Amino acid sequence: MRLYSQYLLGTIVLSVLVVCIALSGGFQLNEHGARATAQAGAFAARASDPSAIYFNPAGLGFQGSSIYLGATFIMPKITFYGPSNLSLNDETKIVDQTFTPINIYGTYELNDNLHIGLGVNNPYGLGTEWPANWAGQYITQKIDLTTFFITPTVAYKVNEQLSVGAGLNYVTGKVTMKIGTSIPFSGNPPIVNLDLNATGVGFNAGIIYKFIPDLSLGISYRSSVKLDASGTAKFDPNYTLLSLPNGGATATITLPATGFVGVAYKAMKNLEVEADYQYIGWSSYNELAIRFKADPTKNEVMTKNYQDTYILRFGAEYTMDDIQLRAGYIYDHSPVLTKYVDPMLPDANRNGYSIGVGYKICEQWRVDASYFFLKFDQRKAENTVIAFDGTYNMTATLIGIDIGYTF
Amino acid sequence: MKQYIVLFITLAALIAALLIGCTDSAPTGPVIGFGNSTVTKYVSIGNSLTAGYQSAGLYKSAQLYSYPNLIAQQLTKAGANIGTFEQPYWPDPGIPDPLTGKASRYVIYGWSGTTPLIGPIGEALTAAAPENAGTVLRPYDNLGIPGIPLAGFMDTTGTYQSPPLGRDAILRWTSNAALGKSVFKQVATLKAMGHTPDLVTFWLGANDVLGFAISGGTSPNAPTSPGIFSALYTQALDALRNTLPNAKIVVGTIPNVTSVPFFTTVNPLLAPNIPSAYYLRYQKHGVTGMSLDSTKLTEANAPLITLKGQAYAALLGQATGKFWRDAAASLGYPIAAVLATQGATLDTTKPFGFHPQNPWPDALILDVDEIASATNAVNNFNSTIATVAAAHSAALVDFNGFFNNVKANGLVIAGEKYTADYIAGDIFSLDGIHPSNRGYGIVANEYIKVINASFGMNVPLVDVSSLPKLSAPLYKGGNGKIDPVLPFGAFNSLDLLFRPSIQ
């Protein structure tokens, strides 16, 4: 039985990896475990499953050895109305895509105080694809960003009240983009296809303090990660007379630092509630600059000027024997100023509603499922720097599933 | 136990179903249309910019993108029943260069490496009159008359109706001889025939300074005087307003020459060809023969070499009198007659442009006094335009401010960047003065914005990104500037266009 389960686990890990490397992720992702997601990600004060590696590494100090893995299926929908100076009512929808950030966590209890873990997940990613020849083709046709964070983590339980943890983030990133180029030419303008890869390093750390067994405080921090991406630019069609800068290209993206402060309280015997404040240092993303090695005069700098922002998270979990029922609410304040809203990632303030269920199959195995619906406020882009005004309607549906195995 | 799970899952499914249906409705905003106003007849008045001139020619495939035609299409989109906006369409390749009898328009006719070779290529004409001359039995709606200065609006003497440039084909409506043939009389005739315009765009005055500027301050040798301009502008708007008391009239200011690539392209290309020990010796305004005036072209407030000068840039430092031979040929004079105007001090065996005795000719450069003269004229004209417009309840489009801003900052539309750079900027056509298809779309949008704001309308803007770009692949050099090769004589037809007294 034991051997069989390990074999099964290995197969699942492999197939999840294969599936997920082929797909990609939506830009800041906070869905890194179905249990936490079902509670709108309000989890930093408890971090009571292996997704602590993401939410708060100190949480490992209060856990045993286990494996927890799964994926979130993200299905965004965006409709653009405009450009408003031409028509308020022309609508364009993004091409349907499903993004599947994964999470794989393993934790191991070296002794009662010292715990280690390893996590692989996709904290940042985005993707939008608009129909060919759409009105914004010179701004974006397709973008896809995937990051993998590999996070070796260590946690130390000081006593039954206090645990601290820290991790190192080894990050790989990949960005592909497709943009129509603005060059005087009749006929099909060349489309630039960018394919860039990067690696970077960051760290995270956290602390959990239990004032009393029923009341805990969690604080965690994840550093920014600078990704110097390099790869190739390919122009299609490539008109030789235009001397297009085919070949080497680079871009630098700084993934923002983020921090959580959460308070969890056991309100009733079977009911835990938590409220978190998450800070995101989005001002690190002030521009997206594409630099061409062949001809720096053709470099493309897109101003983003993202603002530092925050997310409020509220979650609850109700336990009945082997079943746990969960629900949550999130308010996510957009980092994007109105004049910088663009179709590459048209962001807006969001309200999210989550529910989920966990089931303990047996002593070792558990399964968690979550359903999360994000409703974006209608976003009116006005006086944009790219002169592409209009209205964006957006929603996203996220379905998460994770399985856990406790040794 | 089980019933709780069933309950929870049912509840979850219900919430999920509710939320998926939870999407925003389409945005609402101002309704496209004319508010409390109406537009039933639109007429445009102006010069070559209004006619839809591009690349030194007037031809149908460019006329289709004239700003008046683009405005008319947007008015129709907004629901106006203005019928077909009639323009005098010249089948491609368009009108002739009177000197050669061949099409005057420029094309990119070849490449020298990655440098475009630009100019007229002697295309044979395909028509002697606009294709719709026999079917449009009334004045055209687009009354853009190539080459006319402000005075041409009221003039009935025939001075501005000469056949070159297709003028007579537009000012042709003589069914009522008493009304005469001026531009204004065409408007009056439209009204008399029951086509009373209720929206008029009026953009004249550019030629009152451009003729001076593109000839390097030589022909004519001064812009129209501010006093005369003011009198003519008042007379023109008086006449329009009296004839069309209820029309919505929109006028435009005149862009300054320093925002147009015809005047800004060559300096940065020529300056590196002046060796550090040398200066460009050039003739100041009105100077003939030898000249000691000098420039490096890089100093602040440097003189401006016109685009016409690009044809002579390669001859810098050579012992040549090529310019004077070309000038004689284009005027039809013997070379000796032209050289006689320069006096005995001119010596074309000396290095061209570097030696005081073979200086860069006045006709290819705007010196600082000429620039100041043009700028003063533009400022005076524009303040007149604003004052007279206000006195006649006409709305105002500030094209001078707009193009100065484009020159300084460029322009972004739907993510695409436009600049005032020659060709590469995609706003100006191959002649460096007249806009391109997209440039005219940008001009149309400046009009529409003012029309909407002034008259409470909501006419949609032109989708500039959907208009064709220039019609040839172009090299954008490492410095982002086009370094064109323009043939000698390429500007003959432009000279005519901006020489108001041409017969």
Side-chain angles (χ1 to χ4, degrees):
Chain A
M1 180 65 208
R2 181 72 183 255
L3 264 176
Y4 176 73
S5 5
Q6 278 174 347
Y7 172 73
L8 179 70
L9 207 59
T11 310
I12 292 168
V13 170
L14 265 179
S15 44
V16 167
L17 270 175
V18 167
V19 168
C20 298
I21 287 164
L23 297 167
S24 54
F27 201 6
Q28 180 211 9
L29 304 170
N30 285 295
E31 294 73 39
H32 304 293
R35 184 179 183 189
T37 303
Q39 300 176 67
F43 206 51
R46 289 170 290 165
S48 48
D49 74 20
S51 68
I53 289 170
Y54 175 77
F55 289 98
N56 188 344
L60 295 190
F62 298 119
Q63 295 175 33
S65 303
S66 63
I67 286 174
Y68 192 64
L69 60 91
T72 310
F73 299 85
I74 304 179
M75 289 149 282
K77 291 206 179 300
I78 305 176
T79 306
F80 173 70
Y81 296 89
S84 56
N85 56 15
L86 307 180
S87 164
L88 281 172
N89 301 315
D90 280 359
E91 63 169 67
T92 312
K93 291 179 188 297
I94 55 165
V95 176
D96 280 338
Q97 292 186 85
T98 301
F99 302 97
T100 52
I102 57 154
N103 56 84
I104 301 171
Y105 307 107
T107 63
Y108 187 69
E109 183 176 0
L110 287 173
N111 60 45
D112 188 41
N113 297 105
L114 195 58
H115 302 243
I116 56 171
L118 181 69
V120 177
N121 62 357
N122 315 121
Y124 297 94
L126 80 88
T128 50
E129 180 178 3
W130 295 89
N133 301 320
W134 85 295
Q137 61 178 310
Y138 300 106
I139 301 162
T140 179
Q141 296 186 4
K142 184 173 182 176
I143 181 164
D144 221 70
L145 168 70
T146 321
T147 60
F148 274 88
F149 275 53
I150 299 166
T151 310
T153 305
V154 59
Y156 184 76
K157 186 174 78 175
V158 179
N159 55 41
E160 290 307 318
Q161 280 181 288
L162 179 67
S163 175
V164 293
L168 188 72
N169 307 138
Y170 175 75
V171 183
T172 67
K174 177 177 170 62
V175 62
T176 58
M177 293 173 80
K178 217 170 134 178
I179 306 175
T181 57
S182 176
I183 293 170
F185 194 82
S186 69
N188 296 331
I191 292 168
V192 59
N193 294 279
L194 292 156
D195 195 341
L196 310 174
N197 291 289
T199 57
V201 175
F203 71 94
N204 62 326
I207 180 168
I208 292 180
Y209 182 73
K210 296 183 176 178
F211 297 97
I212 51 172
D214 288 348
L215 179 65
S216 63
L217 169 74
I219 299 170
S220 73
Y221 174 82
R222 176 179 305 279
S223 72
S224 65
V225 177
K226 191 174 171 216
L227 293 177
D228 290 313
S230 64
T232 57
K234 196 167 157 282
F235 289 82
D236 180 30
N238 179 35
Y239 301 105
T240 49
L241 278 172
L242 296 175
S243 299
L244 297 168
N246 277 292
T250 60
T252 299
I253 298 172
T254 304
L255 304 173
T258 188
F260 291 91
V261 178
V263 178
Y265 182 59
K266 202 166 193 174
M268 298 185 326
K269 183 165 170 283
N270 295 325
L271 180 68
E272 287 177 2
V273 293
E274 174 161 348
D276 283 22
Y277 171 90
Q278 182 183 0
Y279 169 85
I280 307 121
W282 264 125
S283 56
S284 70
Y285 189 51
N286 56 356
E287 66 176 31
L288 178 57
I290 315 287
R291 302 182 196 284
F292 299 105
K293 282 186 185 138
D295 184 355
T297 65
K298 296 195 171 81
N299 289 351
E300 179 76 23
V301 178
M302 292 166 263
T303 308
K304 301 293 184 184
N305 275 347
Y306 274 31
Q307 306 292 300
D308 293 341
T309 190
Y310 64 92
I311 301 175
L312 301 176
R313 303 170 177 280
F314 303 93
E317 180 176 73
Y318 187 75
T319 304
M320 298 179 304
D321 300 331
D322 296 337
I323 304 283
Q324 289 173 310
L325 305 180
R326 306 174 183 123
Y329 165 78
I330 180 176
Y331 175 74
D332 185 339
H333 189 261
S334 173
V336 187
L337 297 173
T338 300
K339 64 190 279 204
Y340 296 104
V341 174
D342 71 40
M344 203 174 268
L345 183 70
D347 202 35
N349 296 337
R350 321 163 182 192
N351 289 282
Y353 311 89
S354 64
I355 46 175
V357 60
Y359 181 57
K360 195 169 169 186
I361 302 166
C362 61
E363 219 29 64
Q364 284 85 23
W365 287 98
R366 61 177 294 112
V367 59
D368 293 307
S370 65
Y371 172 85
F372 190 12
F373 183 81
L374 274 172
K375 164 75 177 65
F376 294 67
D377 290 351
Q378 188 171 61
R379 191 78 200 251
K380 287 197 193 318
E382 288 166 337
N383 300 316
T384 53
V385 292
I386 53 169
F388 196 71
D389 294 359
T391 303
Y392 295 90
N393 285 354
M394 295 171 272
T395 62
T397 304
L398 300 86
I399 292 168
I401 184 136
D402 269 273
I403 55 170
Y405 181 82
T406 308
F407 295 98
Chain B
M1 178 88 263
K2 229 172 196 162
Q3 67 271 29
Y4 283 112
I5 302 172
V6 172
L7 186 68
F8 188 78
I9 289 171
T10 313
L11 206 64
L14 202 66
I15 293 168
L18 279 174
L19 287 174
I20 282 171
C22 167
T23 48
D24 288 309
S25 49
T28 52
V31 178
I32 282 179
F34 298 95
N36 296 324
S37 307
T38 53
V39 174
T40 57
K41 182 73 182 169
Y42 165 51
V43 164
S44 59
I45 294 160
N47 47 39
S48 56
L49 296 167
T50 300
Y53 235 77
Q54 273 192 47
S55 300
L58 189 63
Y59 49 101
K60 185 174 182 181
S61 63
Q63 288 176 283
L64 289 170
Y65 299 99
S66 73
Y67 77 80
N69 198 39
L70 295 174
I71 290 173
Q73 287 172 32
Q74 298 309 108
L75 293 171
T76 304
K77 268 185 205 164
N81 185 18
I82 58 171
T84 306
F85 185 77
E86 299 289 2
Q87 305 193 99
Y89 287 119
W90 290 88
D92 287 17
I95 60 167
D97 175 344
L99 290 180
T100 63
K102 304 291 187 183
S104 65
R105 71 171 180 184
Y106 295 1
V107 296
I108 294 180
Y109 62 90
W111 294 85
S112 168
T114 49
T115 300
L117 306 174
I118 298 167
I121 52 167
E123 294 172 283
L125 304 188
T126 55
E131 63 182 22
N132 52 3
T135 53
V136 179
L137 302 177
R138 58 175 178 80
Y140 288 110
D141 298 321
N142 187 345
L143 295 171
I145 318 294
I148 64 164
L150 178 57
F153 179 65
M154 297 299 288
D155 181 83
T156 54
T157 65
T159 304
Y160 305 107
Q161 296 166 26
S162 55
L165 312 167
R167 293 168 186 166
D168 60 331
I170 307 169
L171 296 170
R172 72 204 165 113
W173 200 258
T174 53
S175 68
N176 184 343
L179 290 171
K181 287 179 72 178
S182 74
V183 185
F184 170 67
K185 295 293 171 68
Q186 300 290 309
V187 179
T189 305
L190 275 171
K191 184 184 177 188
M193 294 175 76
H195 303 287
T196 309
D198 55 1
L199 176 64
V200 178
T201 56
F202 181 95
W203 198 16
L204 276 170
N207 287 347
D208 292 82
V209 62
L210 263 180
F212 164 79
I214 82 150
S215 67
T218 61
S219 175
N221 65 4
T224 302
S225 88
I228 290 174
F229 188 92
S230 175
L232 289 172
Y233 212 88
T234 307
Q235 182 195 27
L237 286 204
D238 279 351
L240 261 187
R241 189 42 94 199
N242 289 337
T243 308
L244 306 171
N246 302 316
K248 298 162 190 75
I249 300 174
V250 188
V251 304
T253 63
I254 301 160
N256 199 355
V257 295
T258 50
S259 64
V260 178
F262 188 88
F263 301 98
T264 58
T265 302
V266 182
N267 275 24
L269 299 172
L270 199 58
N273 297 341
I274 302 170
S276 58
Y278 287 56
Y279 286 88
L280 183 75
R281 303 284 175 177
Y282 69 97
Q283 294 176 329
K284 266 195 171 169
H285 187 65
V287 168
T288 54
M290 185 173 85
S291 174
L292 290 169
D293 289 306
S294 64
T295 175
K296 295 296 274 182
L297 291 178
T298 49
E299 67 269 22
N301 302 316
L304 294 171
I305 307 284
T306 64
L307 191 58
K308 208 176 183 179
Q310 177 66 4
Y312 301 90
L315 304 179
L316 216 53
Q318 295 180 20
T320 180
K322 173 80 176 149
F323 169 78
W324 303 108
R325 287 199 303 281
D326 289 338
S330 78
L331 291 167
Y333 296 164
I335 178 73
V338 170
L339 288 180
T341 66
Q342 295 299 313
T345 55
L346 188 76
D347 180 354
T348 59
T349 64
K350 299 282 197 266
F352 174 64
F354 293 153
H355 196 282
Q357 281 184 271
N358 192 11
W360 188 263
D362 185 17
L364 304 180
I365 190 167
L366 277 186
D367 65 55
V368 290
D369 295 336
E370 289 168 332
I371 296 169
S373 175
T375 304
N376 283 339
V378 165
N379 291 342
N380 276 320
F381 296 171
N382 286 342
S383 93
T384 295
I385 290 169
T387 310
V388 177
H392 291 78
S393 310
L396 181 72
V397 186
D398 182 13
F399 282 112
N400 188 33
F402 178 76
F403 280 106
N404 283 335
N405 188 42
V406 169
K407 171 70 184 155
N409 305 314
L411 183 68
V412 177
I413 301 171
E416 289 195 272
K417 293 180 192 71
Y418 298 82
T419 68
D421 287 347
Y422 182 52
I423 303 180
D426 215 10
I427 291 178
F428 292 92
S429 66
L430 299 181
D431 62 30
I433 299 173
H434 297 101
S436 60
N437 294 338
R438 292 191 171 196
Y440 278 125
I442 289 163
V443 167
N445 282 346
E446 291 310 299
Y447 270 111
I448 293 171
K449 285 177 195 169
V450 168
I451 288 170
N452 285 343
S454 305
F455 307 123
M457 299 180 182
N458 189 25
V459 177
L461 297 189
V462 176
D463 182 1
V464 173
S465 310
S466 73
L467 304 178
K469 293 189 166 218
L470 288 167
S471 61
L474 298 157
Y475 171 68
K476 205 172 181 178
N479 58 2
K481 304 280 185 207
I482 294 283
D483 187 352
V485 172
L486 292 152
F488 305 121
F491 292 94
N492 287 341
S493 62
L494 276 183
D495 286 349
L496 288 171
L497 181 57
F498 295 109
R499 198 176 295 158
S501 58
I502 190 78
Q503 292 298 309

